[in-house]
Amino acid sequence: MKHNWSFRVLVVGLLGLGSPAAQAQRGGQGFTQQFNRATVLLTTGDTLTGPVQLHRTEETLLMELADNTVRTLPAVSVQSFAVQGEQYDQSRERFYYDDFYAMRQGYYYGNPLYTQPVPRRRERPDTELVRVFRTYRWNRDNDYSDFRAPGFFEQLSNGPIILLRREGLVQRPVTVTGPYGYGGYGYSGAGRTVGYYTDVKDNFYLGLPNGNVISLRNPKKDLLAYFHGNSRQLEQYAKDNKLSYTDARELAYLVNYANSLSGKGK
């Protein structure tokens, strides 16, 4: 699988589409995201444009075409796609919808080859930013299975080793803090779980040139293990620049820097 393919044509085609109001939904086990505008590159080389629903669990896109028909696109038939126009989720931290364009072009602190303006964090969420997804083969995080099926992963960095992100649903507990929400001192029910709510969690991976992925369950440990030949340089770089291994933006810097080093990943 080739991953040096330029998204310039793809993104230009996407930005040329209309801009109706953004809508999104995340429901139950289906975990569906809806985007107003998408450009999809098929494995056949054909390109489709239009609104799209991303069904995470089924690894499928449902695209509304110009003739008002809906086409089902399983991951096995999709090479990559770019989207815009997901409704802002108020439950997300405000930097979630960050712009990874510079990171997809190889930016990291100190990169002598990057000549564009230094990217800044978005002060306000912007769902009009282009998000890029690629298809990789994975075992659905089942370490005991050798079977790898195609799935959709969001691209956050440049290559040849690419930082990827998958959003997944997770159940988080709701606990009692006190009779009035001020704390649990003197209250027998403090700390007791009274229910659960569904949240969206980021999971990080490394996308390999052969089309497979490596899970970063412990981003620092697993990243340093993969780039073990340059782990000391990478760890020192993270320390010097005060970079977090769990922040998507800063982890993208670390992967780009690791790619710039000689040895594994170069």
Side-chain angles (χ1 to χ4, degrees), residues 44-255:
T44 60
D46 296 329
T47 300
L48 301 176
T49 59
V52 73
Q53 289 184 2
L54 169 57
H55 292 259
R56 293 279 187 171
T57 306
E58 295 80 8
E59 305 291 355
T60 300
L61 297 177
L62 293 183
M63 171 161 274
E64 182 180 338
L65 303 179
D67 60 1
N68 294 323
T69 60
V70 176
R71 183 168 175 179
T72 301
L73 302 171
V76 69
S77 66
V78 176
Q79 178 176 328
S80 54
F81 61 97
V83 294
Q84 280 179 295
E86 183 186 12
Q87 184 179 23
Y88 172 50
D89 187 342
Q90 296 289 343
S91 68
R92 297 292 183 85
E93 56 96 1
R94 64 192 183 100
F95 293 133
Y96 183 82
Y97 295 101
D98 209 344
D99 189 356
F100 285 89
Y101 174 81
M103 286 68 100
R104 293 195 301 267
Q105 304 305 309
Y107 175 80
Y108 61 87
Y109 293 141
N111 184 352
L113 302 179
Y114 190 84
T115 59
Q116 303 301 314
V118 175
R120 295 184 177 181
R121 281 193 181 273
R122 311 291 299 189
E123 294 183 1
R124 296 180 180 179
D126 183 1
T127 60
E128 290 304 301
L129 296 170
V130 176
R131 298 174 65 183
V132 174
F133 292 79
R134 294 180 181 273
T135 301
Y136 283 83
R137 298 184 300 272
W138 68 317
N139 60 6
R140 294 183 175 271
D141 288 335
N142 182 358
D143 293 338
Y144 300 99
S145 174
D146 293 328
F147 177 74
R148 297 180 182 273
F152 297 130
F153 296 78
E154 184 176 5
Q155 178 184 354
L156 301 186
S157 77
N158 198 0
I161 307 302
I162 298 176
L163 177 64
L164 304 171
R165 174 170 65 185
R166 277 184 65 90
E167 297 164 296
L169 297 180
V170 62
Q171 296 295 314
R172 301 193 187 279
V174 177
T175 58
V176 176
T177 58
Y180 305 105
Y182 298 128
Y185 181 75
Y187 178 56
S188 60
R192 180 169 57 90
T193 298
V194 296
Y196 294 86
Y197 69 97
T198 301
D199 195 10
V200 179
K201 177 180 181 296
D202 285 343
N203 300 291
F204 297 113
Y205 302 80
L206 294 179
L208 309 183
N210 65 3
N212 294 333
V213 301
I214 293 177
S215 177
L216 298 180
R217 290 188 176 90
N218 183 323
K220 179 178 180 179
K221 176 182 176 182
D222 296 339
L223 185 68
L224 294 176
Y226 183 80
F227 291 101
H228 60 84
N230 300 107
S231 60
R232 289 186 179 181
Q233 292 168 274
L234 186 57
E235 198 166 12
Q236 188 62 47
Y237 177 81
K239 181 179 180 180
D240 292 343
N241 291 281
K242 299 180 180 179
L243 299 178
S244 168
Y245 291 86
T246 57
D247 179 276
R249 179 187 181 91
E250 296 177 9
L251 188 58
Y253 294 164
L254 289 169
V255 172

